[in-house]
Amino acid sequence: MLSYLTRWMSRGALQALKKASSRPHLVNTPRIGNQTLAAAPLPFAGGSPGVRQARALDQKRLLQIEWEDGTDSLYPFTWLRDNCQCPLCILQSAQARSLLFSDLDVHTGMDQVQLIDNKVSVLWPDQHSSEFEPEWLKKRCFSSEARQALQEELFLNEREYWDSGLNIPMLDFEEVLHDDKAALAWLEALRRIGIVYLRGAPVEQGQVARLSQRIGYLRLTFYGHTWQVQDKPVANNVAYTSGKLSLHTDYPALYHPPGVQFLHCIRQAEQGGESEVVDGFHVAEQLRTDDPEAFTILSSLRVDYTDTGADYCDFSVQSKNHIIDVDTEGRIVKINFNNATRDSVLDIPLHQVQPFYTSLKAFVDLLSKPENVFTYKMEPGDLVTFDNWRLLHGRKSYASHSVQSSRHLEGAYLDWDEVMSRLRILRKTVQRDI
């Protein structure tokens, strides 16, 4: 059941998932399209890589390292000098560069290079010396394979796509709070799959804040550190009604929307209130295949969003965002779509208005296809965590009574910077303990 996870999950995190016998586990999620979790081999893993030879290629201003395994790596002189690891160039207590860029000779040569105790020692023209560990150099090799592997290690960019057949990953709330392996399993699955369900949280407010402390801290927005999703008499957000919520990402009215969202069920509606989620990256790839022109329009035109009101404080927010954000390599990195806060201001040329609407309609139609929508109903004590840059979520309408007896979820946001920081720290901790 867990075999596919071994391709990308750390060993300690996987052990945490196998540990509990009575609780739900991560289960096999269908892999769809051309996405795969089989990352390129790491440039270096385990042991100490042996250096057979190190020599300066003066005309090319490159240092060539020949490794014991027969491979070789090239390192620019300037990069090596910029990244000298000695105490004069690095503040060791902060692991931060203290060498000023204004003092860096970007055309430096190299007076001498030698191997001392399997370390690469360099003497520079100004008689400054640098010493480099082979593991450190191997990991930072400039080959495309090594660079890709290191980026995957740092950022976990590979994704596991899914559709309505998703078997939602589940873990125990208290175990995540108190066990590092369980917490690592949670964050790795959150990054790869985009959604993880935690069960067994106390049925009272404050649990999203407790969970955030496992990572670092909450993202404060105009709706507060945490917010209560209830049917309110004078709602300042469409989420605070009992009506249907169409599929959306939260807060595209901000230039930097929150990366991760928590929702904790304190009280559920007797009728209705089912939650819906869609893998926005997967559907955007479908759009790229089925309608390339629509994909280009939604990833190139900036759409105006607005949000005005008062909550934590009064606010009047405006932003311009691509509905589909791609990076320089064309990889989808963020979905920004909320029909409720999409502004009537549309700052695009007249001749692009109709193509924009046609393209957005094509995307929304794909999002709404039953085969793409996963539906579930939260019960009191359930807490769902998901990637707000990737997933679109919605809600079916529900029968509302008084505020005291009606459906009640507590929500909170975090940013991916904090989440990935904790993931990296947990990974080191768990690997050290194995």
Side-chain angles (χ1 to χ4, degrees), residues 115-360:
L115 291 178
I116 302 176
D117 297 329
N118 200 41
K119 297 177 184 178
V120 178
S121 180
V122 175
L123 183 65
W124 303 100
D126 62 1
Q127 299 307 294
H128 185 83
S129 62
S130 302
E131 191 174 78
F132 299 98
E133 296 282 351
E135 297 94 334
W136 188 92
L137 287 170
K138 185 81 167 178
K139 194 170 187 177
R140 290 159 178 80
C141 174
F142 281 87
S143 72
S144 59
E145 295 83 4
R147 288 189 292 111
Q148 180 182 350
L150 183 54
Q151 291 301 299
E152 180 59 27
E153 179 185 338
L154 291 173
F155 297 105
L156 276 72
N157 289 320
E158 294 287 350
R159 299 293 192 272
E160 182 88 359
Y161 286 177
W162 46 267
D163 58 13
S164 62
L166 170 70
N167 287 309
I168 193 165
M170 295 184 184
L171 284 165
D172 180 81
F173 176 79
E174 293 293 341
E175 191 171 355
V176 165
L177 287 184
H178 300 107
D179 183 85
D180 285 345
K181 292 178 182 178
L184 179 59
W186 165 46
L187 295 183
E188 286 183 337
L190 180 63
R191 184 66 171 174
R192 298 294 194 183
I193 300 172
I195 183 169
V196 180
Y197 210 77
L198 305 182
R199 283 190 164 153
V203 185
E204 59 187 20
Q205 289 181 218
Q207 304 315 305
V208 291
R210 284 183 69 203
L211 185 61
S212 75
Q213 292 171 0
R214 193 64 169 103
I215 294 172
Y217 50 88
L218 290 170
R219 163 84 177 266
L220 175 63
T221 71
F222 290 111
Y223 292 95
H225 291 91
T226 65
W227 21 273
Q228 311 308 314
V229 184
Q230 296 172 284
D231 185 16
K232 300 177 182 179
V234 183
N236 62 352
N237 190 294
V238 294
Y240 301 160
T241 69
S242 61
K244 175 181 173 59
L245 288 182
S246 61
L247 293 163
H248 64 283
T249 61
D250 273 19
Y251 243 146
L254 298 176
Y255 277 103
H256 187 75
V260 172
Q261 183 169 167
F262 295 167
L263 285 173
H264 174 219
C265 182
I266 297 172
R267 191 166 49 249
Q268 184 57 276
E270 294 182 5
Q271 297 179 350
E274 292 85 355
S275 300
E276 298 176 322
V277 289
V278 172
D279 186 345
F281 286 6
H282 174 214
V283 175
E285 288 292 359
Q286 292 178 26
L287 183 70
R288 187 182 344 225
T289 300
D290 297 348
D291 194 340
E293 182 179 359
F295 182 91
T296 299
I297 288 172
L298 297 184
S299 59
S300 60
L301 294 181
R302 291 191 181 275
V303 176
D304 294 80
Y305 288 97
T306 185
D307 195 18
T308 303
D311 200 303
Y312 184 79
C313 65
D314 51 350
F315 55 89
S316 180
V317 181
Q318 292 286 149
S319 74
K320 304 173 83 67
N321 275 311
H322 298 123
I323 288 178
I324 301 174
D325 258 341
V326 297
D327 63 15
T328 55
E329 298 175 354
R331 181 174 54 199
I332 299 164
V333 294
K334 192 188 304 178
I335 305 296
N336 300 292
F337 179 63
N338 190 320
N339 202 54
T341 58
R342 185 169 52 83
D343 204 347
S344 57
V345 174
L346 186 57
D347 184 24
I348 62 177
L350 181 65
H351 70 277
Q352 292 183 319
V353 172
Q354 189 56 48
F356 162 73
Y357 275 101
T358 302
S359 300
L360 182 54

